[in-house]
Amino acid sequence: ADRARPLGAVSFSAQLRLRAPGEAPGPLGPFAGPGEALVIPLETQDAVKDLVAACGRGRAQVMDGACLTVWSLLDQLPEGLHQIEPLAARRLDRTLAVEPIELVAERQGSAGSGGDGGPLRFGEGFRLRAAGCSGLYLGHGGDAGGLRWMQAAGCAQDDALVPPHGTRFAAHGEELGAALLLGRPMSLRRVHSPPPSDDEEESDF
């Protein structure tokens, strides 16, 4: 996708294949398959389409401390549609319906402070915390495994929040230092903690 332009129209996969790392596939059956054939409710799909269109009409910046959802680009269909699925989602009940999980984008070094209000920028480190949770971060563990939830240390009321290692990310795809914009494609890269040696490279999703 052209990262300088808005997404335009989006569509959703008929079957999401979301599992926690190490989770065994669900049983085969008429309403489930390997990895559970999860779906996004139509009401949520319509709301996301409206948000994508609204973001495309403006240039709203992703601010430090902003609450948002993150989506993966799967394919660009012949009709010009971009097929997307949530980077993190949860099941609402015992059905196969899922909703995207809201995340708080925190600039590296601002964890637990509420953010400085400035925009996040391409090339700088940030973390994605589950909204409503004081210390639950989306992380990569610094290894070749998949994404996972990681709990911060020092989460007591009077303790300073210490984000776990392996939870930093950086956005690539535009000029370094340019502000991240809502509704624009980008490449989300893992940032290792501590920094890797010179012969190691960051890994892409």
Side-chain angles (χ1 to χ4, degrees):
D2 184 351
R3 291 180 170 83
R5 303 183 61 180
L7 276 178
V10 297
S11 66
F12 303 85
S13 174
Q15 293 185 343
L16 303 179
R17 300 290 182 178
L18 305 177
R19 291 206 313 270
E23 180 182 343
L28 290 172
F31 303 108
E36 294 282 10
L38 305 173
V39 296
I40 297 177
L42 291 177
E43 296 84 356
T44 302
Q45 294 185 28
D46 291 339
V48 171
K49 290 177 181 178
D50 290 342
L51 284 172
V52 170
C55 289
R57 292 191 294 268
R59 294 182 60 85
Q61 297 177 338
V62 180
M63 310 302 286
D64 182 24
C67 187
L68 43 77
T69 57
V70 182
W71 297 77
S72 297
L73 285 174
L74 301 181
D75 299 295
Q76 184 168 3
L77 303 178
E79 301 82 3
L81 297 175
H82 292 283
Q83 195 171 68
I84 62 175
E85 72 176 28
L87 189 65
R90 64 188 179 94
R91 293 177 71 162
L92 301 176
D93 47 38
R94 300 187 61 142
T95 70
L96 298 178
V98 299
E99 291 280 0
I101 294 176
E102 291 187 339
L103 303 169
V104 177
E106 296 180 343
R107 176 177 284 110
Q108 180 180 336
S110 67
S113 66
D116 60 14
L120 297 180
R121 301 186 180 278
F122 281 91
E124 73 173 345
F126 62 90
R127 293 181 169 89
L128 297 171
R129 175 174 56 81
C133 300
S134 60
L136 187 62
Y137 288 86
L138 191 65
H140 49 79
D143 54 31
L147 296 178
R148 68 208 71 173
W149 293 108
M150 303 178 69
Q151 184 67 50
C155 292
Q157 185 174 359
D158 297 328
D159 291 344
L161 186 67
V162 181
H165 292 306
T167 56
R168 288 192 299 154
F169 299 93
H172 289 244
E174 280 291 331
E175 181 181 353
L176 290 177
L180 273 62
L181 300 178
L182 292 171
R184 302 302 199 277
M186 68 185 70
S187 176
L188 189 62
R189 305 288 296 275
R190 310 175 189 212
V191 179
H192 295 276
S193 302
S197 60
D198 292 340
D199 58 348
E200 292 182 276
E201 297 182 355
E202 294 174 342
S203 54
D204 203 351
F205 289 110

